């Protein structure tokens, strides 16, 4: 099941050798690998034939052949890369400009691989064309469920039920529920099927469990008719006439549930077989694991709903119901039960399985046993994962070939690990597995990857992975991925020494450590050295941060990825310099980068974080000039070090991201000429009180010449706020790249008039963040018809008193965040609240530690019909920090009232629909607030727009502002923010509704 990934990896390796300007192939070397490269393309196409076969077919023999293909390719790739490494001089020898490669010794191995693959592929094609039907048949006719209560998902139940009831008559309508295995699709469909109102409206109700191995379409259709007529129809092969079908269904309302559909063809044929009736209706409700199983060009879906995971409250209710039944949870078990429910991460199948294990234990009322389970000190969760893996595995087995290894790779990341999309993309690219669309397909089409959307994309359609803030796996899928990856020698996850037997490590292509100290144990290092060091391609250290250096030199030679940001090194590890295949390097190190870093000429991503931001006075740390010789670099992130342009003509044409470095104004003049294709640029600059701020405008002018820049961040370190200081104004004072999409300014001290220039002359700007007196002045009255594309605006640490958008400005604004603007009193209505181009659009306003009048003003903004306003406020001015949340829905009544001390008076009966579900609460400020129910809680810590995995260097670091970016802040670290959040959760007084 990993052969396709092996083919991609070898083709990528050969392609890199052929394209590398540092290699010169000797004699017949180029011909040898070119012939093999061409032979691999048809192999890719043959492997993809399997994707067109039915999931009802058994793949055991095909999977065995798949493993043989993978092993043969990996053996040759090991030989090829080992020979290549031998041609590279070892440190401290100097790397020549051109390395001559003689690969003629591999000619026999290459020919042997081609012949082996041809033989296996003949057998592979035969097995694919003659796959037997899997057993047993999984479909059944008729409903055998019981009238049991459904816990959770009440919002989706109401939505789907309403859609089904309100659909028009006289036509066939298809509604679909889809989502990952075990998420509760069948349970939700059962609840709809058994609902009293549904039973009253529909004359006929039919339930068919289709399954992965269904009965014949004719048998299913006859079963449907048998349920409708409630009479014995023979199950023969006689054709059922159209007139007979029309006579059965006409003048009746029918609901047909097709549960667990795996193939479009099944319901496509059934829908085509059902008659078009003149009176009454036929409603079909599908459930499927994948969106691709319900997307049909021939028959449009009337309504489609992805079944969500349960929230924490629903998870706790379900766990207690399954363990204690009608009894309530004993008080002494409530705390560990809450933690256990949370660890199930909202997957009903996981909750029910854990509950079953708990209820069968003889210690199920013992608090110490529950605490052990909650702290994972026994096998309950592992046993539950193993049990449900049988249910989950088919979703992985029948994935398209090109998605299997990217999906397995997602399992390397630990639970609760923040996975920015950019990081996943670059690491998969280093492995040769990224195809540009795999994340979106796994998340959207197959419901296997949990994705968190950027705030600006939450109300928009899902079209690409760039809209995701982070991506991760549910813990049950992570367990399955790790088991499958270990079995296929793709990677091995280690937490304890007992996880590293030589047999388990032998031949592993990746090592992922969740306990970094393992490398400090000699027994472990010896085991790695003898078992897998010669074949390992990835070394990933994802354990808790370890501040004392450990040796990692165990004979690795073929590593492509080293991710060790959670492991501190005093100096740059010299053993890294011998890893000439390295494409991704991320380290935490306070030492200077060696000039010999240029030996890593294959490197694409270079990330260096300091352990502590300590800078010697008068002795700046510089990025070595040799970095300009590393032509493959696409991403550079070296926090706190200064970068200078070389005196010789050199440029990094592939560099797309440069963030974190210090740069002077003089440096930027030359730097802008050396990075012509840069897309994301983030720099830090230091200006003294005596510096001429006009020089800063010159800096911006240099950046304006870079037409490719889409994201620009500039942070002035140690900014000096000069009240009353005004920079000279003219239309040409401030220049920025015309195509800029995201702009982050910190400490620049501009007047608000400069924002008018930005708003009028940057038509594509969607994100604007202003921090640490980036702009100062008490009033910002934005120019008319400005910021027409802006979706996200953050103003943090400012002396602003009034924010007043001009007429027709901020038409697309969906998120406004005001933080630590202590003088802010007035927030006026942006145009996006007046008329929304997207019906049902939600606009969020966040007010943190501002004047109380600002929050009052935000909650009373006038709304137009179809617009939802969500206001989130928090304040630490009082003895205990407080949080405030409210939500308002725009309708005729709201628009007519405008701003007032009370939002709603008596609501007319014909206007009740506008306020359905709204709860009114009187707050201490003396006005009414409409708030969502408690289970619709909004997480204040996870709301800000995502920066596509780039990294931030703002003065005030908060988790929601980075959205998965790495940071080099002056005051905060992520660990400190997380600890502070946990403390606040226990102490805050929330104004709950």
């Amino acid at each position: 099941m990993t052969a396709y990934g092996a083919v991609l990896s070898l083709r990528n390796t050969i392609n890199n050798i052929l394209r590398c300007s540092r290699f010169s192939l000797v004699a017949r070397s180029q011909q040898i690998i070119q012939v093999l490269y061409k032979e691999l393309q048809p192999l890719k196409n043959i492997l993809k034939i399997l994707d067109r076969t039915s999931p009802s077919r058994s793949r055991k023999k095909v999977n065995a052949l798949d493993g043989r293909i993978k092993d043969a390719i990996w053996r040759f790739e090991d030989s090829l890369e080992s020979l290549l490494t031998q041609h590279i001089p070892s440190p401290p020898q100097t790397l020549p400009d051109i390395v001559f490669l003689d690969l003629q010794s591999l000619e026999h191995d290459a020919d042997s691989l081609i012949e082996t693959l041809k033989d296996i592929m003949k057998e592979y094609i035969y097995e694919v064309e003659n796959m037997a039907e899997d057993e047993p048949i999984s479909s059944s006719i008729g409903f055998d469920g019981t009238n049991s209560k459904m816990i959770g998902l009440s919002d989706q139940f109401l939505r789907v039920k309403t859609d089904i009831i309100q659909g028009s008559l006289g036509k066939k309508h298809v509604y679909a529920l889809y989502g990952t295995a075990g998420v509760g699709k069948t349970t939700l469909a059962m609840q709809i099927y058994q609902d009293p109102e549904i039973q009253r409206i529909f004359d006929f109700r039919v339930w068919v469990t289709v399954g992965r191995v269904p009965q014949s379409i004719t048998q299913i259709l006859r079963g449907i008719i048998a349920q409708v007529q409630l009479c014995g129809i023979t199950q023969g092969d006689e054709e059922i006439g159209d007139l007979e079908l029309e006579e059965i269904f006409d003048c009746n309302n029918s609901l047909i549930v097709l549960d667990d559909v795996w193939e479009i063809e099944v319901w496509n044929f059934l829908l085509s077989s059902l008659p078009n009736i003149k009176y009454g209706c036929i409603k079909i409700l599908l459930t499927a694991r994948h969106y691709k199983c319900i997307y049909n060009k021939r028959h449009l879906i009337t309504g489609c709903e992805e079944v969500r995971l349960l929230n924490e409250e629903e998870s706790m209710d379900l766990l207690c119901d399954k363990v204690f039944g009608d009894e309530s949870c004993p008080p002494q078990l409530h705390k560990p039960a809450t933690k256990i429910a949370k660890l199930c991460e909202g997957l009903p199948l996981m909750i029910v399985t854990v509950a079953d294990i708990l209820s069968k234990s003889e210690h199920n009322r013992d608090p110490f046993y529950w605490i052990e389970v909650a702290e994972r000190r026994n096998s309950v969760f592992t046993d539950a994962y193993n049990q449900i893996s049988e249910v989950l595995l088919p979703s992985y087995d029948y994935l398209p070939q090109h998605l299997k290894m990217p999906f397995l790779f997602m399992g390397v990341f630990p639970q609760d690990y923040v996975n920015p999309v950019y990081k996943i993309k670059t690491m998969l690219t280093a492995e040769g597995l990224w195809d540009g669309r795999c994340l979106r397909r796994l998340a959207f089409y197959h419901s296997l990857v949990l994705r968190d959307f950027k705030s600006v994309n939450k109300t928009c359609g899902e079209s690409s992975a760039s809209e995701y803030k982070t991506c991760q796996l549910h813990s049950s899928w992570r367990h399955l991925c790790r088991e499958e990856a270990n079995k296929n020698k793709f990677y091995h996850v280690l937490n304890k020494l007992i996880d590293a037997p030589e047999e388990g490590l032998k031949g592993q292509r990746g090592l992922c450590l969740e306990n970094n100290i393992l490398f400090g144990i000699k027994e472990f290092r010896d085991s790695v050295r003898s078992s897998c060091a010669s074949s390992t391609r990835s070394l990933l250290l994802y354990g808790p941060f370890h501040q004392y250096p450990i040796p990692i030199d165990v004979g690795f030679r073929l590593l492509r990825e080293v991710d060790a940001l959670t492991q501190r090194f005093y100096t740059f590890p010299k053993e890294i310099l011998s890893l000439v295949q390295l494409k991704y390097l991320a380290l935490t190190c306070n030492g200077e980068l060696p000039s010999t870093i240029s030996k890593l000429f294959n490197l694409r991503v270079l990330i260096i974080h300091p352990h502590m931001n300590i800078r010697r006075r008068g002795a700046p740390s510089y990025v070595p000039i040799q970095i300009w010789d590393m032509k493959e670099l696409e991403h550079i992130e070296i926090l706190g070090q200064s970068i200078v342009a070389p005196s010789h003509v050199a440029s990094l044409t592939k560099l797309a991201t440069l963030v974190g470095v210090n740069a002077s104004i003089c440096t930027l003049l030359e730097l802008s000429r050396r990075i012509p294709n840069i897309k994301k640029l983030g720099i830090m600059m230091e200006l003294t009180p005596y510096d001429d701020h006009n020089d800063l405008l010159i800096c911006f002018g240099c950046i304006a010449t870079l037409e490719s820049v889409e994201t620009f961040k500039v942070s002035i370190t140690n900014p000096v706020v000069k009240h009353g200081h005004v920079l000279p104004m003219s239309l040409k004072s401030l220049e920025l790249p015309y195509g800029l999409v995201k702009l982050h300014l910190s400490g620049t001290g501009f007047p608000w008039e400069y924002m008018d220039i930005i708003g009028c002359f940057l038509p594509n700007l969607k994100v604007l963040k202003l921090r640490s007196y980036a702009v100062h002045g008490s009033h910002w009255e934005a120019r008319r018809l400005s910021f027409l594309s802006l979706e996200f605006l953050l103003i943090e640490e400012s002396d602003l008193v009034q924010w007043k958008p001009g007429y027709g400005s901020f038409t697309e604004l969906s998120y406004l965040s005001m933080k630590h603007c202590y003088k802010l009193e007035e927030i006026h209505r942006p145009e996006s609240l007046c008329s929304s181009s997207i019906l049902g659009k939600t606009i969020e306003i966040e007010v943190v530690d501002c004047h109380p009048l600002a929050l009052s003003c935000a909650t009373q903004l006038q709304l137009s019909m179809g617009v939802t306003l969500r206001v989130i406020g928090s304040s630490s001015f009082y003895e205990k920090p407080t949080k405030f949340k409210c939500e308002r829905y725009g309708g005729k009544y709201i628009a007519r009232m405008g701003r007032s001390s009370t939002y709603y008076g008596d609501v007319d009966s014909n206007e009740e629909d506008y306020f359905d579900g709204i709860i009114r609460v009187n707050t201490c400020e003396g006005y009414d607030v409409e708030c969502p129910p408690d289970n619709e809680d909004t997480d204040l810590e996870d709301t800000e727009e995502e920066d596509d995995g780039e990294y931030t260097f703002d003065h005030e670091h908060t988790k929601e502002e980075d959205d998965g970016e790495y940071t080099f802040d002056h005051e905060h670290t992520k660990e400190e923010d997380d600890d502070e959040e946990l403390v606040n959760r226990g102490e805050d007084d929330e104004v709950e509704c």
Side-chain angles (χ1 to χ4, degrees):
M1 291 183 283
T2 51
Y4 190 89
V7 172
L8 289 181
S9 177
L10 180 55
R11 278 175 58 89
N12 188 58
T13 298
I14 294 174
N15 189 46
N16 288 338
I17 294 173
L18 294 173
R19 289 175 58 252
C20 184
S21 60
R22 305 293 291 267
F23 290 150
S24 177
L25 297 174
V26 174
R28 300 184 64 254
S29 298
Q30 181 169 338
Q31 181 183 353
I32 292 169
I33 58 175
Q34 277 183 335
V35 170
L36 178 57
Y37 184 85
K38 292 178 181 178
E39 290 290 339
L40 291 173
Q41 180 58 43
L43 177 58
K44 268 180 59 181
N45 299 333
I46 292 172
L47 290 171
K48 292 179 75 171
I49 294 175
L50 189 63
D51 297 339
R52 299 196 290 270
T53 61
S54 170
S56 64
R57 304 289 178 176
S58 174
R59 295 187 174 184
K60 292 180 180 178
K61 293 182 179 180
V62 174
N63 288 342
L65 293 172
D66 186 281
R68 288 170 55 191
I69 296 169
K70 178 256 302 179
D71 291 340
I73 291 175
W74 276 359
R75 278 195 301 270
F76 179 82
E77 189 173 32
D78 288 347
S79 299
L80 174 61
E81 292 193 299
S82 296
L83 182 60
L84 187 151
T85 303
Q86 293 171 17
H87 284 78
I88 309 296
S90 301
Q93 292 178 289
T94 303
L95 179 69
D97 292 336
I98 300 295
V99 176
F100 294 94
L101 295 183
D102 187 353
L103 307 179
Q104 294 178 93
S105 60
L106 290 177
E107 185 171 10
H108 174 73
D109 291 345
D111 292 340
S112 177
L113 175 63
I114 292 173
E115 291 302 316
T116 299
L117 292 178
K118 286 181 177 179
D119 291 340
I120 297 177
M121 291 318 298
K122 290 179 183 178
E123 191 176 353
Y124 185 92
I125 293 171
Y126 174 81
E127 291 296 342
V128 168
E129 292 176 348
N130 296 276
M131 287 190 298
E133 192 81 13
D134 210 350
E135 295 181 352
I137 291 177
S138 56
S139 61
S140 62
I141 309 296
F143 182 74
D144 56 1
T146 58
N147 286 312
S148 59
K149 64 177 180 179
M150 182 183 71
I151 297 175
L153 304 179
S154 58
D155 55 329
Q156 293 193 308
F157 165 77
L158 183 60
R159 230 176 1 251
V160 176
K161 172 188 164 183
T162 303
D163 286 347
I164 291 174
I165 291 175
Q166 292 181 350
S168 59
L169 301 179
K171 293 183 179 180
K172 293 179 287 187
H173 294 274
V174 181
Y175 304 86
L177 299 173
Y178 73 99
T180 190
V183 79
K185 303 178 294 296
T186 300
T187 302
L188 182 54
M190 283 182 175
Q191 194 74 8
I192 294 169
Y193 184 85
Q194 299 174 103
D195 182 75
E197 190 175 2
I198 291 287
Q199 294 185 44
R200 179 176 57 81
I201 292 174
F202 290 95
D203 306 294
F204 301 140
R205 292 179 303 123
V206 176
W207 184 282
V208 178
T209 300
V210 180
R212 183 175 61 82
V213 188
Q215 300 178 35
S216 69
I217 303 296
T218 302
Q219 287 178 314
I220 292 176
L221 185 58
R222 288 186 171 276
I224 291 174
I225 296 172
Q227 289 188 71
V228 169
Q229 289 191 330
L230 295 177
C231 63
I233 291 183
T234 60
Q235 299 297 308
D237 295 327
E238 297 88 354
E239 290 293 329
I240 304 171
D242 293 339
L243 291 177
E244 181 183 356
L245 287 173
E246 187 173 345
E247 182 180 342
I248 293 172
F249 286 99
D250 200 19
C251 300
N252 291 298
N253 295 330
S254 305
L255 174 64
I256 302 173
V257 178
L258 301 177
D259 184 39
D260 195 21
V261 175
W262 280 75
E263 297 180 80
I264 292 178
E265 290 75 11
V266 173
W267 74 266
N268 201 1
F269 183 84
L270 284 172
L271 193 63
S272 300
S273 302
L274 293 172
N276 292 315
I277 57 178
K278 296 179 180 179
Y279 304 101
C281 66
I282 299 177
K283 303 291 181 70
I284 300 174
L285 177 61
L286 304 172
T287 75
R289 295 189 178 195
H290 309 143
Y291 180 78
K292 72 179 185 68
C293 295
I294 59 176
Y295 176 71
N296 194 330
K297 294 181 179 179
R298 290 181 59 186
H299 301 289
L300 295 178
I301 300 289
T302 306
C304 184
E305 185 95 13
E306 182 175 16
V307 181
R308 63 172 175 82
L309 296 171
L310 303 183
N311 59 37
E312 291 184 17
E313 182 181 352
E314 293 169 333
S315 299
M316 179 64 173
D317 290 343
L318 180 58
L319 179 72
C320 293
D321 179 76
K322 296 301 180 182
V323 177
F324 305 113
D326 295 332
E327 301 177 18
S328 60
C329 177
Q332 68 272 21
L333 301 182
H334 189 272
K335 188 173 181 179
T338 302
K339 188 172 183 180
I340 291 170
K342 185 176 181 180
L343 288 173
C344 292
E345 300 177 34
L347 187 68
L349 178 61
M350 184 67 186
I351 297 169
V352 171
T353 306
V354 169
D356 183 62
I357 296 173
L358 290 172
S359 60
K360 291 178 179 178
S361 171
E362 59 184 13
H363 306 293
N364 63 6
R365 292 297 190 275
D366 183 356
F368 294 104
Y369 173 73
W370 281 71
I371 291 172
E372 283 187 343
V373 176
E375 296 179 355
R376 294 180 180 267
R377 287 193 274 118
N378 57 25
S379 64
V380 168
F381 272 91
T382 301
D383 293 343
Y385 289 142
N386 291 332
Q387 286 185 37
I388 69 174
S389 288
E390 295 182 9
V391 178
L392 305 182
L393 188 59
S395 292
Y396 165 71
D397 275 344
Y398 295 94
L399 270 178
Q401 299 300 302
H402 68 287
L403 296 181
K404 286 184 176 178
M405 287 190 75
F407 179 57
L408 291 184
F409 181 81
M410 292 289 294
V412 302
F413 300 109
Q415 190 172 3
D416 299 326
Y417 188 87
V418 177
N419 305 323
V421 170
Y422 184 82
K423 179 172 184 176
I424 297 171
K425 174 185 173 182
T426 53
M427 296 185 78
L428 284 173
T429 302
E431 291 280 354
L433 301 174
W434 176 257
D435 71 348
R437 293 173 290 180
C438 57
L439 274 183
R440 179 177 181 263
R441 287 172 175 170
L442 286 169
F444 181 66
Y445 286 104
H446 296 276
S447 300
L448 294 177
V449 172
L450 304 176
R451 66 275 197 201
D452 187 11
F453 287 93
K454 306 171 186 177
S455 293
V456 295
N457 293 116
K458 285 180 179 176
T459 58
C460 301
E462 185 172 347
S463 60
S464 71
S466 63
E467 298 166 0
Y468 305 155
K469 181 164 63 175
T470 59
C471 288
Q472 61 184 2
L473 298 183
H474 187 277
S475 57
S476 57
W477 281 114
R478 185 182 301 107
H479 176 83
L480 184 144
C481 284
R482 291 180 172 188
E483 291 292 317
E484 289 296 311
N486 183 35
K487 184 170 66 176
N488 288 282
K489 301 296 183 180
F490 186 28
Y491 62 80
H492 187 43
V493 179
L494 305 109
N495 195 287
K496 302 175 184 177
L497 189 59
I498 59 173
D499 297 332
E502 289 196 12
E503 187 60 33
L505 289 176
K506 187 175 181 181
Q508 290 289 351
R509 304 271 289 189
L511 294 179
C512 177
L513 275 65
E514 293 188 342
N515 185 354
N516 297 350
I517 203 171
L518 284 175
F519 263 111
I521 303 173
K522 184 178 184 300
E523 182 183 349
F524 175 79
R525 295 198 304 272
D526 291 344
S527 182
V528 171
R529 181 179 287 108
S530 61
S531 302
C532 62
S534 61
S535 63
T536 301
R537 300 310 202 277
S538 302
L539 178 61
L540 313 173
L541 305 184
Y542 290 148
F545 188 82
H546 188 66
Q547 64 174 332
Y548 301 106
I550 54 173
I552 61 171
D553 186 10
V554 293
F556 295 123
R557 288 294 178 268
L558 305 181
L559 285 178
R560 298 171 180 172
E561 296 176 308
V562 174
D563 191 353
L565 286 175
T566 62
Q567 173 60 53
R568 180 190 179 189
F569 296 92
Y570 287 154
T571 58
F572 188 88
K574 293 183 179 179
E575 56 268 28
I576 296 289
L577 298 174
S578 63
L579 304 175
V580 293
Q581 305 292 337
L582 205 60
K583 295 180 176 66
Y584 183 100
L585 176 61
L587 296 176
T588 294
C589 172
N590 269 96
E592 300 280 345
L593 275 179
S595 59
T596 48
I597 187 73
S598 59
K599 284 195 171 186
L600 305 178
F601 54 85
N602 276 311
L603 202 63
R604 268 69 165 171
V605 177
L606 176 61
I607 302 171
I608 305 294
H609 285 190
H611 174 57
M612 297 181 69
N613 280 324
I614 300 176
R615 185 175 58 179
R616 295 180 183 177
R617 184 177 181 181
S621 178
Y622 285 96
V623 177
I625 202 75
Q626 287 79 7
I627 202 169
W628 293 95
D629 297 327
M630 303 169 70
K631 302 299 184 183
E632 300 297 322
L633 277 172
E634 299 171 3
H635 181 111
I636 297 177
E637 180 192 338
I638 305 176
L639 309 191
Q641 295 192 30
S642 299
I643 188 168
V644 294
S647 56
H648 61 283
V649 178
S651 62
L652 297 178
T653 57
K654 294 184 179 181
L655 191 66
T657 302
L658 174 63
V659 293
V661 296
N662 295 332
S664 66
I665 293 172
C666 295
T667 300
L668 281 174
L669 293 171
E670 188 62 34
L671 189 65
S672 60
R673 303 188 184 103
R674 309 299 177 93
I675 48 175
N677 300 310
I678 196 77
K679 291 184 178 179
K680 303 167 188 175
L681 178 62
I683 57 174
M684 299 180 68
M685 303 177 66
E686 184 171 2
L687 295 179
T688 69
Y690 308 103
D691 286 332
D692 186 352
H693 279 62
N694 284 311
D695 291 343
L696 184 59
L697 299 179
I698 298 174
C699 155
F700 278 59
C702 297
I703 303 303
T705 63
L706 294 171
E707 297 179 357
S708 59
V709 174
E710 297 175 357
T711 300
F712 178 48
K713 299 182 179 185
V714 61
S715 178
I716 306 301
T717 59
N718 305 317
V720 178
V721 179
K722 298 181 178 180
H723 294 285
H725 174 73
V726 178
L727 293 173
M729 277 294 304
S730 71
L731 290 179
K732 295 185 178 180
S733 296
L734 183 63
E735 294 182 271
L736 287 166
Y738 182 78
L740 207 61
V741 177
K742 302 175 185 178
L743 176 62
H744 302 209
L745 302 176
S746 178
T748 49
F750 291 148
W752 286 111
E753 287 79 4
Y754 272 36
M755 295 303 103
D756 289 335
I757 298 176
I758 291 173
C760 294
F761 293 96
L762 296 181
N764 301 317
L765 190 67
K766 292 185 177 182
V767 177
L768 177 62
K769 298 183 181 181
L770 307 172
R771 290 192 174 99
S772 300
Y773 288 90
V775 190
H776 66 81
S778 60
H779 291 72
W780 180 16
E781 184 170 349
R783 185 179 295 181
R784 291 164 54 94
L785 303 176
S786 60
F787 294 101
L788 298 181
S789 299
L790 196 72
E791 299 174 1
F792 185 97
L793 173 62
L794 166 70
I795 302 176
E796 182 175 2
E797 280 192 292
S798 170
D799 56 354
L800 188 65
V801 176
Q802 181 193 68
W803 180 68
K804 186 176 182 180
Y807 173 78
S809 61
F810 297 94
T811 54
E812 299 299 321
L813 189 67
S814 60
Y815 198 95
L816 171 65
S817 180
M818 299 287 194
K819 296 183 177 182
H820 310 294
C821 301
Y822 306 112
K823 298 179 181 180
L824 183 65
E825 297 179 0
E826 294 184 36
I827 298 176
H828 289 253
R829 184 178 65 167
E831 190 68 22
S832 58
L833 283 176
C834 302
S835 59
S836 176
S837 58
I838 302 176
L839 187 63
K841 182 174 183 179
T842 298
I843 296 171
E844 298 185 21
I845 298 180
E846 181 184 23
V847 181
V848 178
D849 283 344
C850 298
H851 195 286
L853 288 176
L855 181 60
S856 174
C857 192
T859 56
Q860 298 183 62
L861 293 175
Q862 183 179 349
L863 306 181
S864 291
M865 184 181 301
V867 177
T868 298
L869 174 63
R870 184 178 297 130
V871 179
I872 307 167
S874 65
S875 175
S876 57
F877 293 144
Y878 308 103
E879 183 177 351
K880 288 186 177 181
T882 59
K883 292 182 181 179
F884 175 91
K885 306 163 191 173
C886 77
E887 190 163 303
R888 293 175 50 209
Y889 307 92
K892 291 185 292 184
Y893 187 76
I894 298 176
R896 190 167 61 243
M897 288 292 293
R899 180 184 298 179
S900 65
S901 60
T902 303
Y903 292 147
Y904 302 126
D906 297 326
V907 181
D908 296 337
S909 59
N910 63 345
E911 293 172 349
E912 288 178 353
D913 290 340
Y914 292 116
F915 315 115
D916 184 35
I918 296 177
I919 301 172
R920 299 174 70 244
V921 172
N922 292 319
T923 70
C924 57
E925 295 296 329
Y927 50 81
D928 292 344
V929 178
E930 294 69 46
C931 302
D934 290 346
N935 62 355
E936 294 181 9
D937 189 24
T938 303
D939 186 1
L940 192 63
E941 296 298 325
D942 194 23
T943 52
E944 186 158 341
E945 172 272 338
E946 152 71 10
D947 286 340
D948 300 331
E950 10 165 333
Y951 311 100
T952 186
F953 45 92
D954 301 302
H955 298 277
E956 295 285 344
H957 170 62
T958 56
K959 180 180 175 184
E960 76 276 15
E961 286 151 17
D962 290 341
D963 297 335
E965 306 177 1
Y966 291 88
T967 180
F968 47 100
D969 304 271
H970 301 283
E971 298 179 341
H972 283 18
T973 64
K974 180 181 183 296
E975 291 79 9
E976 292 170 348
D977 282 343
D978 288 344
D979 291 341
E980 183 180 6
E981 179 185 351
L982 290 173
V983 172
N984 288 341
R985 285 179 181 173
E987 296 179 355
D988 291 1
D989 291 332
E990 290 200 13
V991 181
E992 284 291 341
C993 307

